[in-house]
């Protein structure tokens, strides 16, 4: 079945450490997105990519980095510069560049906590 | 900048009730509006997508309507069941193609 796979499901970060969250999709979608979800705050956009080798900052990109070397993959690195990384991270994708009229699909999320 | 508001923030109803969840947005120049369901600790599951040219979409016991001119959408759930308990989010996509999400309505349906 087609879908979006996020791994790991749970991740713990030590102070000063960079960690990478994986997002893989087999839906042949062009656009991919990373969101952060905190209790009571809804979803906030971190980064998005509409095509391979191109990505744009969202509303809260500071302390995060991404790459888009393959259409299927959009990993997110939470760097040590992100001082409050504890949150639920969601990856999403949409068919077509821009995906204007297409539904957005989500993975099951990664919960990141600080040790 | 688009703002999306969902009212109420939380709702608790007995099983069998018909309910309406509301979503309002400030900029009516949208491509589509999507309703999602989120179970605790899980990702978002797409329920319905309404294009800007449509007035409503239906799937089983769910019906979503869209009134672009007034900046409103409603999600109607018929004959609610305990399994409907979840958080429901709406997202509006406008000219930037980037969806703007509401904060969701947390629904509890008790037996």
């Amino acid at each position: 079945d087609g879908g979006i796979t996020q791994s790991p499901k749970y991740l713990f970060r030590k102070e000063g450490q960079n960690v990478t969250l994986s997002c893989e999709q087999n839906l042949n979608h062009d656009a991919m997105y990373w969101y952060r979800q905190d209790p009571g705050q809804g979803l906030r956009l971190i980064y998005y990519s509409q095509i391979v080798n191109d990505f744009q900052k969202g509303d809260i990109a500071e302390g995060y980095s991404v790459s888009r070397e393959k259409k299927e993959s959009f990993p997110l690195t939470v760097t040590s510069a992100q001082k409050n990384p504890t949150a639920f991270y969601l990856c999403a994708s949409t068919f077509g560049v821009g995906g204007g009229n297409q539904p957005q699909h989500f993975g099951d999320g990664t919960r990141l906590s600080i040790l | 900048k688009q703002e999306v508001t969902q009212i109420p923030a939380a709702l608790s109803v007995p099983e069998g009730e018909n309910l309406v969840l509301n979503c309002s947005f400030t900029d009516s120049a949208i491509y589509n509006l999507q309703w999602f369901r989120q179970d605790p600790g899980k990702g978002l599951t797409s329920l319905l997508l309404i294009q800007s040219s449509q007035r409503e979409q239906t799937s089983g016991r769910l019906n979503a309507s869209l009134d672009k001119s007034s900046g409103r959408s409603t999600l109607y759930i018929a004959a609610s069941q305990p399994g409907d308990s979840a958080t429901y989010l709406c997202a509006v996509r406008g000219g930037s193609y980037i969806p703007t999400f509401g904060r969701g309505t947390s629904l509890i349906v008790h037996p």
Side-chain angles (χ1 to χ4, degrees), chain A residues 9 33 35 37 40-43 45 48 59 88 90 94 98-104 106-108 111, chain B residues 1 31-32 34 36 38 41-46 49 51-52 89 91 93 96-99 101-103:
Chain A
K9 189 173 177 63
Y33 313 78
Y35 293 92
Q37 188 176 34
Q41 291 214 37
L43 272 69
L45 182 66
Y48 65 99
D59 300 320
F88 191 50
L90 288 161
T94 308
N101 285 329
Q102 301 297 320
Q104 202 173 30
F106 280 80
D108 276 343
R111 187 164 298 281
Chain B
K1 181 180 177 181
Y31 283 105
N32 58 47
Q34 192 170 0
F36 295 90
Q38 186 177 29
K42 298 288 189 181
L44 278 64
T45 300
S46 180
L49 174 72
Q51 305 293 353
S52 61
L89 297 99
R93 179 172 285 169
S96 69
Y97 294 118
I98 304 301
F101 284 81
R103 295 189 177 190

Side-chain angles (χ1 to χ4, degrees), chain A residues 61-93:
Chain A
E62 186 174 350
Y64 300 96
S65 66
V66 293
S67 63
R68 187 83 186 277
E69 296 177 1
K70 298 187 300 181
K71 188 176 183 178
E72 308 79 39
S73 178
F74 191 40
L76 173 74
T77 296
V78 184
T79 74
S80 56
Q82 173 50 247
K83 297 306 179 187
N84 183 24
T86 297
F88 191 50
Y89 290 86
L90 288 161
C91 178
S93 70

